[in-house]
Amino acid sequence: MRLASLKMKTACCEDCLFQASCPAPYSLPGVSILIFNTSRQCFVVVKQFRPAVYMCEVERQHPQLFQNQDKESFSRLEDPLPAVVGVTYELCAGIVDKPHLSLEEIACEEILEECGYRVPVTNLKKITSYRSGVGVTGSRQTLFYAEVTDQMKTSGGGGQPEEGELIEVVEIPLEDSMKFAYDETLPKTMGVIFSFTWFQNNIAPKLPKSNIKAP
């Protein structure tokens, strides 16, 4: 998922103590897609490095570095944490930055770029839309569901490195999905947990019983 540049705007908040103008970051809306490979009976998600997650882990393990935040620069960490502490599991996703394309068309582009599957727009099912980052950006996100097969895979995915994307495609077997969702040792977004649960409630009951193994 490409990062949208934050545009600062001024908003007058009724709840502001002094009725002062407060800066409100604004970001573009986005789409995310729960991808299920029916050939392999697995979910297709992505792993990528998130600087904010990394810095939160640095602060948790080395709080002394953040004690003097009024300084222009932080102390240098002599033994930096490995980059893996900033890696998270996420749904395939992207920002809505092409006005001439529908949400479905943008979602299909993201599936191809990040995960390597060419998916027709007609294969998408809208699950819901919601607000994300309500304490920071409040952007609207639309969540889709897409079924794919091995025959629809045309590349290895991985995103667009020239745009700063470094994405690893990961397959989560259906029978392991709920254990994965609630394993706190595997950092993931709430979108992953919610969409896996949605699948269990709405799609799994319709699958042939032979495809569903006990967790």
Side-chain angles (χ1 to χ4, degrees):
M1 176 178 180
R2 295 186 297 277
L3 297 179
S5 57
L6 292 181
K7 303 175 183 177
M8 300 305 295
K9 67 178 181 180
T10 300
C12 184
C13 303
E14 295 180 356
D15 294 333
C16 287
L17 183 60
F18 299 106
Q19 293 296 313
S21 293
C22 56
Y26 169 78
S27 67
L28 294 170
V31 295
S32 55
I33 312 97
L34 172 63
I35 305 172
F36 182 66
N37 185 316
T38 58
S39 301
R40 300 174 181 271
Q41 292 295 295
C42 67
F43 296 105
V44 181
V45 300
V46 299
K47 280 174 64 177
Q48 53 186 324
F49 177 80
R50 293 300 191 184
V53 175
Y54 182 86
M55 290 307 296
C56 284
E57 191 62 22
V58 170
E59 183 176 13
R60 186 183 71 83
Q61 297 193 33
H62 301 281
Q64 73 279 2
L65 296 178
F66 297 80
Q67 291 175 355
N68 298 316
Q69 295 189 25
D70 56 329
K71 293 184 177 180
E72 294 184 359
S73 61
F74 294 106
S75 303
R76 181 181 297 274
L77 188 61
E78 295 183 0
D79 187 18
L81 298 179
V84 68
V85 302
V87 172
T88 62
Y89 292 87
E90 308 171 15
L91 297 178
C92 172
I95 59 174
V96 179
D97 58 353
K98 299 176 181 177
H100 62 288
L101 297 181
S102 67
L103 294 179
E104 289 80 3
E105 289 171 325
I106 292 175
C108 288
E109 281 194 351
E110 293 298 335
I111 295 173
L112 182 60
E113 290 178 5
E114 295 191 356
C115 301
Y117 293 91
R118 189 174 297 279
V119 178
V121 169
T122 52
N123 278 37
L124 290 181
K125 172 184 174 65
K126 180 180 176 181
I127 297 177
T128 190
S129 63
Y130 56 94
R131 295 287 180 177
S132 69
V134 293
V136 181
T137 63
S139 61
R140 178 176 291 278
Q141 303 291 315
T142 303
L143 176 61
F144 292 99
Y145 171 66
E147 292 186 353
V148 300
T149 65
D150 287 347
Q151 289 69 36
M152 297 164 67
K153 193 169 182 65
T154 60
S155 72
Q160 297 182 335
E162 66 274 12
E163 295 184 357
E165 294 182 319
L166 184 58
I167 295 172
E168 177 184 349
V169 181
V170 180
E171 295 182 346
I172 309 297
L174 174 58
E175 63 266 27
D176 299 331
S177 60
M178 295 313 296
K179 180 180 178 181
F180 170 86
Y182 290 101
D183 186 343
E184 295 183 8
T185 67
L186 301 172
K188 65 189 70 67
T189 63
M190 179 53 67
V192 172
I193 300 174
F194 169 78
S195 59
F196 280 14
T197 303
W198 174 88
F199 183 96
Q200 291 294 335
N201 292 333
N202 295 274
I203 305 298
K206 303 173 186 177
L207 296 176
K209 293 185 178 180
S210 59
N211 293 342
I212 305 176
K213 299 179 182 179

